[in-house]
Amino acid sequence: MFDVAREQNVILMEAFKTAYLPNFIALKNSIESIGKLHKVHLTYCQYSSRYQRYLDGENPNTFNPEFSNGSIMDIGFYSVAAAVELFGAPSQVQASAHLLESGVDAHGTVLLTYPNFDVTLSHSKVSNSYAASEIQGEEASLLLTHFSECVGFEKQARSGERTCVSLPQVENSMRYEAEAFAAMISTGAMDPHAIQRSLDISRIITEVRSQTGVVFPADTLTK
């Protein structure tokens, strides 16, 4: 798709608003201040409003493989994307998931391995999580709730000192990615970092599906 966009002289950008939020950018810039990284836990689990319809025997698109859907493709995307934006592509991907009878995953766990630390991603469409996500360094940890919206975060130092960071953000949190997209259109050039991020996310999610056995009809479509 990016190759075609270049050939046709148009702008293509994946819609991932989190990377452009002021507080998420501040979080990313704070990672260097917490010392050597060791453990990261990103949690995004949200009970789907359509899950009861699935349990009632209906076939909502959220849990329908015909729509290439499921937990890792939907809510799990944000966990993978946040990890890639913060840390880049991992050296290894390990994944497990619990599949519904429809063939899509209801929830799962992904372990991303980096040279000196690892990132655990928890995602679910059938349960809620109220736990904070956490980035652990030797000197301090960064804690944040609902990282996809990222209205702020806390820095907990090993000494016990705690600092809260919450920069002003507009209510419509999609504004920032829209502005980034508009800037690309204005300059006529796509952002190489955003392109690489999208490619890395796609490769990781494809590997997760391969390891967990999530197969969609679209995977076997031919021209």
Side-chain angles (χ1 to χ4, degrees), residues 134-152:
E134 186 176 27
I135 302 173
Q136 299 177 11
E138 290 190 353
E139 301 302 324
S141 294
L142 303 175
L143 301 96
L144 60 158
T145 57
H146 200 18
F147 65 82
S148 68
E149 291 290 342
C150 199
V151 296

Side-chain angles (χ1 to χ4, degrees), residues 67-85:
F67 290 88
S68 300
N69 221 321
S71 186
I72 190 61
M73 296 295 291
D74 187 355
I75 211 162
F77 163 87
Y78 295 96
S79 300
V80 173
V84 171
E85 175 61 23

Side-chain angles (χ1 to χ4, degrees), residues 145-170:
T145 57
H146 200 18
F147 65 82
S148 68
E149 291 290 342
C150 199
V151 296
F153 61 93
E154 293 184 345
K155 180 179 179 180
Q156 175 70 61
R158 188 159 48 84
S159 64
E161 180 184 359
R162 178 170 290 212
T163 305
C164 295
V165 177
S166 183
L167 303 178
Q169 286 184 184
V170 297

Side-chain angles (χ1 to χ4, degrees), residues 50 61 81 107 109 120 184 203:
R50 297 183 178 93
N61 63 336
H107 62 93
T109 302
T120 302
M184 292 184 204
R203 292 187 183 108

Side-chain angles (χ1 to χ4, degrees), residues 13-162:
M13 187 182 89
E14 184 172 27
F16 172 51
K17 68 178 182 180
T18 306
Y20 303 95
L21 298 176
N23 282 292
F24 191 84
I25 294 172
L27 173 77
K28 183 177 180 179
N29 292 336
S30 297
I31 293 176
E32 288 186 358
S33 71
I34 65 174
K36 186 177 181 180
L37 283 183
H38 290 296
K39 310 292 289 184
V40 178
H41 300 278
L42 297 178
T43 300
Y44 197 173
C45 302
Q46 182 173 299
Y47 190 94
S48 171
S49 60
R50 297 183 178 93
Y51 185 47
Q52 188 58 52
R53 289 175 54 194
Y54 174 83
L55 294 176
D56 291 340
E58 299 181 37
N59 199 18
N61 63 336
T62 310
F63 302 102
N64 187 343
E66 292 286 343
F67 290 88
S68 300
N69 221 321
S71 186
I72 190 61
M73 296 295 291
D74 187 355
I75 211 162
F77 163 87
Y78 295 96
S79 300
V80 173
V84 171
E85 175 61 23
L86 292 173
F87 311 112
S91 58
Q92 185 178 2
V93 178
Q94 296 172 271
S96 62
H98 293 265
L99 275 56
L100 299 172
E101 290 185 6
S102 67
V104 306
D105 55 336
H107 62 93
T109 302
V110 181
L111 178 63
L112 305 179
T113 302
Y114 292 82
N116 297 306
F117 63 96
D118 54 59
V119 178
T120 302
L121 311 177
S122 296
H123 61 93
S124 175
K125 293 288 289 179
V126 296
S127 60
N128 287 324
S129 173
Y130 305 97
S133 294
E134 186 176 27
I135 302 173
Q136 299 177 11
E138 290 190 353
E139 301 302 324
S141 294
L142 303 175
L143 301 96
L144 60 158
T145 57
H146 200 18
F147 65 82
S148 68
E149 291 290 342
C150 199
V151 296
F153 61 93
E154 293 184 345
K155 180 179 179 180
Q156 175 70 61
R158 188 159 48 84
S159 64
E161 180 184 359
R162 178 170 290 212

Side-chain angles (χ1 to χ4, degrees), residues 6-18:
R6 293 188 188 97
E7 292 169 2
Q8 299 301 316
N9 195 31
V10 297
I11 301 299
L12 172 66
M13 187 182 89
E14 184 172 27
F16 172 51
K17 68 178 182 180
T18 306

